[in-house]
């Protein structure tokens, strides 16, 4: 049996539409399918489908509330402009790489939050907003890809930048979206909370060492992403396996604490470049190294505490 | 909150639905060209949000493929709005000799 008319369009478009437009799409496609099924001939069926598609497109366009569309477009425009300005200024001032990365990441991660405040609910649409901001920053030269080298070099760098930064936008969209609570969202929430706790601890720990609090705060996006990546690679697999056997948040928090040295070693390796340099640092400045490990431990505890129940973890491994 | 309005197209939908619940496509067919396929679902959605009509999915036969059709029916608020409009229209109609 062939697929009912309009099914492909319905599947493709529906996830991206606001509720008002879904209320137009669903009955329009259902009536189109009914009419196409009752067409007298193949030619009649084709005519019905064509007329139906035209009507659906017209209905969808009419269902868009101009106020919402204009607000969203203005917010994306403002965020892209702010991001471009921020990154261009940071590059001109030759600031620390962590600040530069924060300037790129901040608009990408802020976009879903701002759009959510303006009334966009679905994570998929929030993610698209984040990618639009990222693409606009790339195209306007905000990310610094406008150096000489030709179109292909630019495109290659742009794709790499998208691959690197899109997951951050996706995570921010999952956190900000109001979609049904599922395991992916809870895992991302746990990693976000853990990374936030670790970043706050790091910024506060560095404050007495002479680093201005404002600089620490400006680097927040970079550190949140850094901790999230480290926790995902070193902590999350162990915690998810542990979650199959224990369900209590307190126990998982202890497991997280137990695994935190792995994250710490990975972080130290990133900071010092070689294992030997890490060991030298540990030998020469043990107190400083111990203080540096506190954010990792606090973050790992928070990730373990916030992870979902074992039942949900079971579902993750069985893909349901 | 502003009071609900009753544009001409919505009045027509209410009048058609007074005869009984119906599908969007049938309303277009019965309206003699006054309602269009491209706008009828937008109108129906707006009227549902105002509370003038309500809708439900048509029960599907087992094994049926495709989306269930949506059937619309007028609510008591919709009936009252239509009656109020008729009263208002009569009251505002020009008197003979004026």
């Amino acid at each position: 049996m062939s697929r009912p008319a309009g099914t492909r369009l319905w599947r493709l478009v529906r996830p991206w539409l606001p509720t008002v437009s879904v209320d137009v799409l669903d009955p329009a496609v259902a009536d189109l399918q009914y009419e196409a099924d009752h067409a007298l001939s193949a030619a009649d069926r084709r005519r019905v489908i064509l007329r139906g598609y035209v009507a659906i497109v017209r209905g969808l366009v009419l269902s868009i509330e101009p106020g919402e569309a204009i607000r969203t477009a203005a917010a994306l425009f403002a965020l892209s402009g702010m991001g471009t300005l921020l990154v261009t200024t940071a590059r001109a001032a030759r600031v620390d790489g962590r600040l530069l990365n924060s300037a790129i990441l901040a608009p990408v991660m802020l976009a879903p939050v701002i759009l959510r405040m303006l009334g966009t609910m679905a994570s998929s649409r929030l993610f698209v907003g984040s990618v639009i901001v990222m693409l606009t920053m790339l195209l306007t030269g905000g990310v610094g890809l406008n150096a000489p080298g030709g179109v292909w070099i630019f495109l290659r760098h742009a794709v790499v930048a998208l691959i690197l930064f899109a997951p951050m936008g996706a995570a921010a969209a999952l956190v900000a979206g109001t979609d049904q609570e599922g395991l992916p969202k809870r895992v991302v929430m746990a990693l976000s909370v853990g990374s936030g706790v670790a970043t706050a601890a790091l910024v506060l720990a560095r404050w007495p060492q002479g680093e201005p609090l404002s600089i620490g705060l400006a680097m927040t996006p970079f550190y949140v992403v850094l901790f999230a990546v480290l926790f995902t690679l070193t902590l999350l697999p162990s915690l998810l396996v542990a979650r199959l056997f224990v369900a209590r948040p307190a126990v998982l928090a202890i497991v997280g604490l137990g695994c935190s040295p792995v994250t710490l070693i990975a972080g130290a390796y990133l900071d010092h470049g070689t294992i030997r340099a890490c060991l030298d640092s540990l030998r020469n400045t043990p107190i400083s190294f111990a203080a540096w490990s506190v954010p990792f431990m606090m973050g790992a505890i928070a990730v373990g505490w916030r992870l979902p129940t074992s039942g949900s973890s079971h579902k993750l491994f069985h893909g349901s | 909150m502003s009071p609900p309005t009753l544009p001409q197209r919505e009045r027509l939908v209410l009048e058609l639905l007074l005869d009984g619940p119906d599908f969007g496509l049938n309303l277009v067919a019965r309206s003699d060209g006054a309602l269009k396929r491209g706008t009828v679902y937008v109108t129906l959605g707006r009227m549902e949000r105002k509370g003038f009509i309500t809708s439900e999915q048509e029960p599907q036969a087992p094994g049926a493929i495709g989306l269930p059709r949506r059937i619309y029916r007028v609510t008591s608020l919709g009936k009252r709005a239509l009656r109020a409009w008729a009263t208002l229209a009569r009251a505002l109609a020009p008197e003979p000799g004026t």
Side-chain angles (χ1 to χ4, degrees):
Chain A
M1 187 176 276
S2 66
R3 183 176 25 211
T7 305
R8 191 178 296 160
L9 172 80
W10 183 78
R11 283 200 186 132
L12 190 74
V13 173
R14 197 177 192 273
W16 308 97
L17 294 178
T19 315
V20 176
S21 301
V22 168
D23 287 343
V24 170
L25 181 73
D26 284 358
V29 172
D31 280 349
L32 166 67
Q33 291 176 347
Y34 173 83
E35 204 182 9
D37 282 350
H38 290 80
L40 299 173
S41 64
D44 188 31
R45 188 173 191 271
R46 277 197 297 274
R47 201 168 49 245
V48 162
I49 292 173
L50 182 66
R51 217 172 49 203
Y53 274 146
V54 171
I56 288 170
V57 170
R58 188 165 175 222
L60 289 179
V61 170
L62 288 174
S63 70
I64 296 169
E65 292 176 19
E68 185 193 342
I70 290 170
R71 273 199 310 273
T72 304
L76 290 177
F77 181 76
L79 270 168
S80 306
M82 183 199 80
T84 304
L85 191 68
L86 206 62
V87 180
T88 310
T89 311
R91 289 178 65 227
R94 298 183 183 282
V95 295
D96 188 302
R98 290 168 296 182
L99 272 176
L100 184 61
N101 279 309
S102 292
I104 299 171
L105 284 165
V108 175
M109 292 164 77
L110 261 180
V113 180
I114 301 286
L115 292 182
R116 171 73 181 82
M117 287 163 66
L118 290 174
T120 306
M121 302 293 175
S123 296
S124 53
R125 300 183 76 214
L126 297 176
F127 174 62
V128 169
S130 184
V131 170
I132 288 173
V133 169
M134 183 74 214
L135 282 174
T136 312
M137 284 169 64
L138 285 168
L139 291 173
T140 53
V143 186
L145 298 184
N146 52 346
V151 175
W152 290 113
I153 299 284
F154 170 82
L155 281 179
R156 208 171 63 195
H157 288 177
V159 169
V160 170
L162 268 179
I163 290 170
L164 283 176
F165 292 116
M168 317 310 166
L174 261 178
V175 172
T178 56
D179 301 88
Q180 202 176 2
E181 189 87 355
L183 185 65
K185 177 165 181 168
R186 294 200 65 186
V187 168
V188 171
M189 283 294 284
L191 287 168
S192 304
V193 170
S195 308
V197 167
T199 302
L202 186 76
V203 170
L204 289 176
R206 291 167 78 107
W207 191 16
Q209 293 173 12
E211 184 177 272
L213 190 60
S214 57
I215 297 287
L217 289 175
M219 289 179 183
T220 299
F222 169 79
Y223 280 123
V224 168
V225 169
L226 178 69
F227 278 117
V229 170
L230 287 173
F231 287 142
T232 303
L233 294 177
T234 62
L235 198 65
L236 192 61
S238 319
L239 280 175
L240 284 175
V241 172
R243 203 54 165 159
L244 292 172
F245 305 102
V246 284
R248 291 176 62 187
V251 179
L252 260 291
I254 293 169
V255 174
L257 179 63
C259 293
S260 63
V262 184
T263 316
L264 177 64
I265 290 166
Y269 182 78
L270 278 182
D271 205 35
H272 294 286
T274 61
I275 293 288
R276 187 178 186 83
C278 294
L279 293 173
D280 287 345
S281 170
L282 177 61
R283 248 195 317 269
N284 298 333
T285 53
I287 294 173
S288 169
F289 200 89
W292 195 63
S293 67
V294 172
F296 288 87
M297 291 192 289
M298 289 177 68
I301 290 171
V303 175
W305 185 273
R306 289 281 309 195
L307 262 190
T309 61
S310 55
S312 304
S313 299
H314 189 72
K315 281 182 189 169
L316 174 75
F317 287 110
H318 290 81
S320 57
Chain B
M1 190 180 164
S2 57
T5 53
L6 195 60
Q8 188 181 356
R9 204 176 286 160
E10 295 186 14
R11 282 201 311 275
L12 176 59
V13 169
L14 287 176
E15 283 164 5
L16 290 171
L17 288 178
L18 280 180
D19 297 339
D22 212 341
F23 302 105
L25 201 59
N26 291 0
L27 293 174
V28 174
R30 288 169 54 205
S31 71
D32 292 328
L35 296 173
K36 304 285 181 205
R37 292 181 65 128
T39 56
V40 71
Y41 301 105
V42 181
T43 305
L44 289 167
R46 193 167 52 230
M47 290 175 72
E48 198 168 2
R49 283 192 294 281
K50 286 181 180 177
F52 289 163
I53 60 170
T54 181
S55 73
E56 60 191 40
Q57 287 183 345
E58 183 191 39
Q60 277 195 303
I65 56 168
L67 295 178
R69 296 180 82 193
R70 189 161 280 275
I71 190 161
Y72 298 88
R73 65 183 77 239
V74 66
T75 62
S76 61
L77 177 65
K79 286 177 187 169
R80 277 191 288 142
L82 197 58
R83 274 201 301 271
W85 174 263
T87 306
L88 181 68
R90 271 199 304 274
L92 294 180
E95 292 176 0
T98 57

PDB file of all heavy atoms in Angstrom, chain B residues 27-49:
ATOM      1  N   LEU B  27     -16.861  22.009   4.923  1.00  0.00           N
ATOM      2  CA  LEU B  27     -17.314  23.387   5.130  1.00  0.00           C
ATOM      3  C   LEU B  27     -16.982  24.227   3.903  1.00  0.00           C
ATOM      4  O   LEU B  27     -17.787  25.047   3.461  1.00  0.00           O
ATOM      5  CB  LEU B  27     -16.649  23.996   6.375  1.00  0.00           C
ATOM      6  CG  LEU B  27     -17.042  23.382   7.725  1.00  0.00           C
ATOM      7  CD1 LEU B  27     -16.195  23.971   8.842  1.00  0.00           C
ATOM      8  CD2 LEU B  27     -18.523  23.639   8.009  1.00  0.00           C
ATOM      9  N   VAL B  28     -15.778  23.994   3.336  1.00  0.00           N
ATOM     10  CA  VAL B  28     -15.378  24.713   2.118  1.00  0.00           C
ATOM     11  C   VAL B  28     -16.361  24.400   0.999  1.00  0.00           C
ATOM     12  O   VAL B  28     -16.848  25.296   0.292  1.00  0.00           O
ATOM     13  CB  VAL B  28     -13.934  24.323   1.699  1.00  0.00           C
ATOM     14  CG1 VAL B  28     -13.568  24.938   0.355  1.00  0.00           C
ATOM     15  CG2 VAL B  28     -12.937  24.764   2.766  1.00  0.00           C
ATOM     16  N   ALA B  29     -16.682  23.114   0.858  1.00  0.00           N
ATOM     17  CA  ALA B  29     -17.583  22.697  -0.229  1.00  0.00           C
ATOM     18  C   ALA B  29     -18.982  23.291  -0.051  1.00  0.00           C
ATOM     19  O   ALA B  29     -19.630  23.659  -1.031  1.00  0.00           O
ATOM     20  CB  ALA B  29     -17.644  21.172  -0.267  1.00  0.00           C
ATOM     21  N   ARG B  30     -19.436  23.379   1.214  1.00  0.00           N
ATOM     22  CA  ARG B  30     -20.805  23.855   1.453  1.00  0.00           C
ATOM     23  C   ARG B  30     -20.925  25.376   1.437  1.00  0.00           C
ATOM     24  O   ARG B  30     -22.047  25.906   1.502  1.00  0.00           O
ATOM     25  CB  ARG B  30     -21.284  23.337   2.815  1.00  0.00           C
ATOM     26  CG  ARG B  30     -21.563  21.829   2.817  1.00  0.00           C
ATOM     27  CD  ARG B  30     -21.767  21.316   4.226  1.00  0.00           C
ATOM     28  NE  ARG B  30     -22.805  22.071   4.915  1.00  0.00           N
ATOM     29  CZ  ARG B  30     -22.872  22.196   6.247  1.00  0.00           C
ATOM     30  NH1 ARG B  30     -21.960  21.621   7.007  1.00  0.00           N
ATOM     31  NH2 ARG B  30     -23.829  22.892   6.802  1.00  0.00           N
ATOM     32  N   SER B  31     -19.790  26.069   1.423  1.00  0.00           N
ATOM     33  CA  SER B  31     -19.842  27.533   1.555  1.00  0.00           C
ATOM     34  C   SER B  31     -20.023  28.257   0.222  1.00  0.00           C
ATOM     35  O   SER B  31     -20.012  29.490   0.197  1.00  0.00           O
ATOM     36  CB  SER B  31     -18.559  28.040   2.230  1.00  0.00           C
ATOM     37  OG  SER B  31     -17.469  27.902   1.345  1.00  0.00           O
ATOM     38  N   ASP B  32     -20.132  27.525  -0.851  1.00  0.00           N
ATOM     39  CA  ASP B  32     -20.299  28.113  -2.190  1.00  0.00           C
ATOM     40  C   ASP B  32     -19.180  29.106  -2.516  1.00  0.00           C
ATOM     41  O   ASP B  32     -19.443  30.203  -3.029  1.00  0.00           O
ATOM     42  CB  ASP B  32     -21.656  28.830  -2.315  1.00  0.00           C
ATOM     43  CG  ASP B  32     -22.813  27.835  -2.275  1.00  0.00           C
ATOM     44  OD1 ASP B  32     -22.611  26.697  -2.748  1.00  0.00           O
ATOM     45  OD2 ASP B  32     -23.884  28.188  -1.760  1.00  0.00           O
ATOM     46  N   GLY B  33     -17.988  28.743  -2.178  1.00  0.00           N
ATOM     47  CA  GLY B  33     -16.835  29.582  -2.528  1.00  0.00           C
ATOM     48  C   GLY B  33     -16.506  30.671  -1.521  1.00  0.00           C
ATOM     49  O   GLY B  33     -15.506  31.375  -1.672  1.00  0.00           O
ATOM     50  N   ALA B  34     -17.316  30.811  -0.490  1.00  0.00           N
ATOM     51  CA  ALA B  34     -17.029  31.859   0.499  1.00  0.00           C
ATOM     52  C   ALA B  34     -15.839  31.477   1.382  1.00  0.00           C
ATOM     53  O   ALA B  34     -15.117  32.344   1.883  1.00  0.00           O
ATOM     54  CB  ALA B  34     -18.257  32.109   1.356  1.00  0.00           C
ATOM     55  N   LEU B  35     -15.649  30.177   1.593  1.00  0.00           N
ATOM     56  CA  LEU B  35     -14.489  29.710   2.370  1.00  0.00           C
ATOM     57  C   LEU B  35     -13.511  29.053   1.409  1.00  0.00           C
ATOM     58  O   LEU B  35     -13.925  28.378   0.465  1.00  0.00           O
ATOM     59  CB  LEU B  35     -14.927  28.695   3.431  1.00  0.00           C
ATOM     60  CG  LEU B  35     -15.852  29.189   4.541  1.00  0.00           C
ATOM     61  CD1 LEU B  35     -16.326  28.017   5.397  1.00  0.00           C
ATOM     62  CD2 LEU B  35     -15.129  30.209   5.419  1.00  0.00           C
ATOM     63  N   LYS B  36     -12.215  29.261   1.659  1.00  0.00           N
ATOM     64  CA  LYS B  36     -11.186  28.686   0.792  1.00  0.00           C
ATOM     65  C   LYS B  36     -10.410  27.631   1.578  1.00  0.00           C
ATOM     66  O   LYS B  36     -10.230  27.747   2.797  1.00  0.00           O
ATOM     67  CB  LYS B  36     -10.194  29.777   0.340  1.00  0.00           C
ATOM     68  CG  LYS B  36     -10.859  30.953  -0.356  1.00  0.00           C
ATOM     69  CD  LYS B  36     -11.293  30.610  -1.754  1.00  0.00           C
ATOM     70  CE  LYS B  36     -11.941  31.826  -2.427  1.00  0.00           C
ATOM     71  NZ  LYS B  36     -12.866  31.429  -3.474  1.00  0.00           N
ATOM     72  N   ARG B  37      -9.887  26.648   0.839  1.00  0.00           N
ATOM     73  CA  ARG B  37      -9.102  25.585   1.494  1.00  0.00           C
ATOM     74  C   ARG B  37      -7.896  26.147   2.229  1.00  0.00           C
ATOM     75  O   ARG B  37      -7.506  25.640   3.269  1.00  0.00           O
ATOM     76  CB  ARG B  37      -8.576  24.609   0.437  1.00  0.00           C
ATOM     77  CG  ARG B  37      -9.604  23.779  -0.235  1.00  0.00           C
ATOM     78  CD  ARG B  37      -8.914  22.863  -1.212  1.00  0.00           C
ATOM     79  NE  ARG B  37      -8.062  21.922  -0.505  1.00  0.00           N
ATOM     80  CZ  ARG B  37      -8.114  20.609  -0.679  1.00  0.00           C
ATOM     81  NH1 ARG B  37      -8.955  20.091  -1.539  1.00  0.00           N
ATOM     82  NH2 ARG B  37      -7.306  19.817  -0.030  1.00  0.00           N
ATOM     83  N   GLY B  38      -7.272  27.172   1.646  1.00  0.00           N
ATOM     84  CA  GLY B  38      -6.034  27.702   2.222  1.00  0.00           C
ATOM     85  C   GLY B  38      -6.252  28.496   3.505  1.00  0.00           C
ATOM     86  O   GLY B  38      -5.298  28.741   4.242  1.00  0.00           O
ATOM     87  N   THR B  39      -7.490  28.930   3.742  1.00  0.00           N
ATOM     88  CA  THR B  39      -7.716  29.772   4.925  1.00  0.00           C
ATOM     89  C   THR B  39      -8.655  29.135   5.945  1.00  0.00           C
ATOM     90  O   THR B  39      -8.700  29.570   7.085  1.00  0.00           O
ATOM     91  CB  THR B  39      -8.320  31.127   4.510  1.00  0.00           C
ATOM     92  OG1 THR B  39      -9.507  30.886   3.761  1.00  0.00           O
ATOM     93  CG2 THR B  39      -7.356  31.934   3.673  1.00  0.00           C
ATOM     94  N   VAL B  40      -9.394  28.095   5.529  1.00  0.00           N
ATOM     95  CA  VAL B  40     -10.424  27.578   6.426  1.00  0.00           C
ATOM     96  C   VAL B  40      -9.836  27.017   7.724  1.00  0.00           C
ATOM     97  O   VAL B  40     -10.391  27.217   8.813  1.00  0.00           O
ATOM     98  CB  VAL B  40     -11.305  26.527   5.703  1.00  0.00           C
ATOM     99  CG1 VAL B  40     -10.544  25.239   5.446  1.00  0.00           C
ATOM    100  CG2 VAL B  40     -12.547  26.239   6.532  1.00  0.00           C
ATOM    101  N   TYR B  41      -8.666  26.358   7.634  1.00  0.00           N
ATOM    102  CA  TYR B  41      -8.100  25.746   8.846  1.00  0.00           C
ATOM    103  C   TYR B  41      -7.551  26.817   9.800  1.00  0.00           C
ATOM    104  O   TYR B  41      -7.567  26.640  11.010  1.00  0.00           O
ATOM    105  CB  TYR B  41      -7.013  24.727   8.474  1.00  0.00           C
ATOM    106  CG  TYR B  41      -7.554  23.637   7.593  1.00  0.00           C
ATOM    107  CD1 TYR B  41      -7.269  23.613   6.230  1.00  0.00           C
ATOM    108  CD2 TYR B  41      -8.384  22.650   8.101  1.00  0.00           C
ATOM    109  CE1 TYR B  41      -7.788  22.636   5.406  1.00  0.00           C
ATOM    110  CE2 TYR B  41      -8.920  21.664   7.284  1.00  0.00           C
ATOM    111  CZ  TYR B  41      -8.617  21.667   5.935  1.00  0.00           C
ATOM    112  OH  TYR B  41      -9.142  20.701   5.127  1.00  0.00           O
ATOM    113  N   VAL B  42      -7.047  27.913   9.206  1.00  0.00           N
ATOM    114  CA  VAL B  42      -6.581  29.036  10.043  1.00  0.00           C
ATOM    115  C   VAL B  42      -7.787  29.625  10.787  1.00  0.00           C
ATOM    116  O   VAL B  42      -7.732  29.893  11.993  1.00  0.00           O
ATOM    117  CB  VAL B  42      -5.893  30.117   9.182  1.00  0.00           C
ATOM    118  CG1 VAL B  42      -5.394  31.258  10.043  1.00  0.00           C
ATOM    119  CG2 VAL B  42      -4.744  29.520   8.392  1.00  0.00           C
ATOM    120  N   THR B  43      -8.894  29.819  10.048  1.00  0.00           N
ATOM    121  CA  THR B  43     -10.119  30.358  10.660  1.00  0.00           C
ATOM    122  C   THR B  43     -10.629  29.417  11.753  1.00  0.00           C
ATOM    123  O   THR B  43     -10.975  29.857  12.856  1.00  0.00           O
ATOM    124  CB  THR B  43     -11.206  30.525   9.576  1.00  0.00           C
ATOM    125  OG1 THR B  43     -10.682  31.329   8.531  1.00  0.00           O
ATOM    126  CG2 THR B  43     -12.450  31.168  10.148  1.00  0.00           C
ATOM    127  N   LEU B  44     -10.647  28.112  11.443  1.00  0.00           N
ATOM    128  CA  LEU B  44     -11.148  27.141  12.415  1.00  0.00           C
ATOM    129  C   LEU B  44     -10.272  27.125  13.674  1.00  0.00           C
ATOM    130  O   LEU B  44     -10.784  27.066  14.795  1.00  0.00           O
ATOM    131  CB  LEU B  44     -11.196  25.745  11.779  1.00  0.00           C
ATOM    132  CG  LEU B  44     -12.284  25.552  10.720  1.00  0.00           C
ATOM    133  CD1 LEU B  44     -12.054  24.265   9.939  1.00  0.00           C
ATOM    134  CD2 LEU B  44     -13.660  25.531  11.378  1.00  0.00           C
ATOM    135  N   GLY B  45      -8.951  27.192  13.477  1.00  0.00           N
ATOM    136  CA  GLY B  45      -8.038  27.206  14.624  1.00  0.00           C
ATOM    137  C   GLY B  45      -8.268  28.434  15.497  1.00  0.00           C
ATOM    138  O   GLY B  45      -8.289  28.347  16.730  1.00  0.00           O
ATOM    139  N   ARG B  46      -8.457  29.587  14.842  1.00  0.00           N
ATOM    140  CA  ARG B  46      -8.683  30.831  15.588  1.00  0.00           C
ATOM    141  C   ARG B  46     -10.007  30.755  16.360  1.00  0.00           C
ATOM    142  O   ARG B  46     -10.080  31.150  17.521  1.00  0.00           O
ATOM    143  CB  ARG B  46      -8.689  32.011  14.612  1.00  0.00           C
ATOM    144  CG  ARG B  46      -8.611  33.370  15.270  1.00  0.00           C
ATOM    145  CD  ARG B  46      -8.304  34.457  14.272  1.00  0.00           C
ATOM    146  NE  ARG B  46      -9.206  34.432  13.139  1.00  0.00           N
ATOM    147  CZ  ARG B  46      -8.824  34.450  11.865  1.00  0.00           C
ATOM    148  NH1 ARG B  46      -7.558  34.497  11.570  1.00  0.00           N
ATOM    149  NH2 ARG B  46      -9.696  34.441  10.888  1.00  0.00           N
ATOM    150  N   MET B  47     -11.021  30.207  15.710  1.00  0.00           N
ATOM    151  CA  MET B  47     -12.332  30.113  16.374  1.00  0.00           C
ATOM    152  C   MET B  47     -12.286  29.130  17.546  1.00  0.00           C
ATOM    153  O   MET B  47     -12.960  29.329  18.558  1.00  0.00           O
ATOM    154  CB  MET B  47     -13.396  29.658  15.359  1.00  0.00           C
ATOM    155  CG  MET B  47     -13.711  30.719  14.323  1.00  0.00           C
ATOM    156  SD  MET B  47     -14.838  30.119  13.076  1.00  0.00           S
ATOM    157  CE  MET B  47     -16.363  30.034  14.011  1.00  0.00           C
ATOM    158  N   GLU B  48     -11.466  28.100  17.399  1.00  0.00           N
ATOM    159  CA  GLU B  48     -11.348  27.138  18.498  1.00  0.00           C
ATOM    160  C   GLU B  48     -10.672  27.788  19.705  1.00  0.00           C
ATOM    161  O   GLU B  48     -11.063  27.563  20.851  1.00  0.00           O
ATOM    162  CB  GLU B  48     -10.548  25.921  18.025  1.00  0.00           C
ATOM    163  CG  GLU B  48     -10.756  24.718  18.924  1.00  0.00           C
ATOM    164  CD  GLU B  48     -10.215  23.426  18.333  1.00  0.00           C
ATOM    165  OE1 GLU B  48      -9.629  23.458  17.234  1.00  0.00           O
ATOM    166  OE2 GLU B  48     -10.380  22.397  18.987  1.00  0.00           O
ATOM    167  N   ARG B  49      -9.671  28.624  19.417  1.00  0.00           N
ATOM    168  CA  ARG B  49      -8.992  29.324  20.516  1.00  0.00           C
ATOM    169  C   ARG B  49      -9.927  30.322  21.183  1.00  0.00           C
ATOM    170  O   ARG B  49      -9.805  30.590  22.382  1.00  0.00           O
ATOM    171  CB  ARG B  49      -7.731  30.021  19.997  1.00  0.00           C
ATOM    172  CG  ARG B  49      -6.581  29.061  19.763  1.00  0.00           C
ATOM    173  CD  ARG B  49      -5.270  29.803  19.534  1.00  0.00           C
ATOM    174  NE  ARG B  49      -5.283  30.583  18.301  1.00  0.00           N
ATOM    175  CZ  ARG B  49      -5.093  30.071  17.090  1.00  0.00           C
ATOM    176  NH1 ARG B  49      -4.866  28.790  16.941  1.00  0.00           N
ATOM    177  NH2 ARG B  49      -5.103  30.837  16.016  1.00  0.00           N
TER     178      ARG B  49
END
